[in-house]
Amino acid sequence: ARESFLVDASLVGRTVGKGGEHLKRAGADHGVEVRILDGPGSDEAQPRTVLILGDTEESVRAAREELELIRQDYVVEEDRVAWVLSKVKEIVASCGLAYGKWTGEAVELCGLRSQIEEAVMLLDNHNEYFVVFEEMGRQRDEIQRSFE
């Protein structure tokens, strides 16, 4: 069985790991061979192909899920941007994402599929709390005014 996927040049190092540790671990854990193929020409900015070879579709798929970094935009309502961004750094660290950054329109998340799913769940939870936070602020302001 075999699968391949493209990796942005900027993410090759993260995919491979220090000294190839991610490739070696995926190979050992799943009994597959992982190769990084150079793109056409010698342009370092070109995406690279990751080729995974193994005995079963399941082992190849599992190795891919451990290696393939994906990007996903998390769209944020305009009035909640500051609220959501206040939590992004913490969520990126706790989920082990490669990064999470504001693009001006959305939070771009980059990591393994499982990491992104976890980050989206945490962002959704944080986002849902916004209404409660706003209400607490209104109540605090009312109490403050009552003492004036």
Side-chain angles (χ1 to χ4, degrees):
R2 65 186 280 154
E3 279 196 38
S4 63
F5 59 93
L6 289 177
V7 177
D8 276 3
S10 63
L11 297 173
V12 169
R14 241 183 231 282
T15 301
V16 171
K18 191 174 189 175
E21 68 180 296
H22 296 159
L23 302 184
K24 291 173 188 168
R25 184 175 47 236
D29 288 354
H30 303 289
V32 297
E33 181 183 344
V34 183
R35 299 180 189 162
I36 304 285
L37 308 177
D38 289 333
S42 59
D43 185 359
E44 289 295 314
Q46 287 292 328
R48 299 284 169 51
T49 301
V50 175
L51 178 63
I52 304 170
L53 305 165
D55 292 334
T56 67
E57 295 288 336
E58 185 180 311
S59 63
V60 169
R61 192 174 316 109
R64 179 177 182 160
E65 286 187 16
E66 267 185 38
L67 293 170
E68 185 177 24
L69 296 174
I70 60 170
R71 289 189 177 103
Q72 180 175 323
D73 283 348
Y74 184 84
V75 179
V76 181
E77 292 177 33
E78 196 173 322
D79 63 334
R80 298 179 182 203
V81 170
W83 172 254
V84 170
L85 290 182
S86 72
K87 250 334 195 205
V88 168
K89 187 174 182 180
E90 180 184 328
I91 289 173
V92 165
S94 72
C95 295
L97 293 174
Y99 66 81
K101 66 182 180 185
W102 179 246
T103 65
E105 296 174 9
V107 177
E108 182 180 85
L109 304 170
C110 179
L112 300 175
R113 187 173 311 281
S114 60
Q115 294 168 330
I116 287 181
E117 288 170 359
E118 182 181 358
V120 166
M121 182 188 69
L122 291 172
L123 285 165
D124 284 347
N125 287 341
H126 183 64
N127 204 6
E128 288 172 15
Y129 186 64
F130 180 76
V131 176
V132 174
F133 180 77
E134 272 193 325
E135 181 58 31
M136 286 171 52
R138 275 194 291 278
Q139 289 175 0
R140 182 193 63 235
D141 293 346
E142 276 181 39
I143 292 168
Q144 191 66 37
R145 280 193 300 275
S146 74
F147 287 117
E148 293 170 358

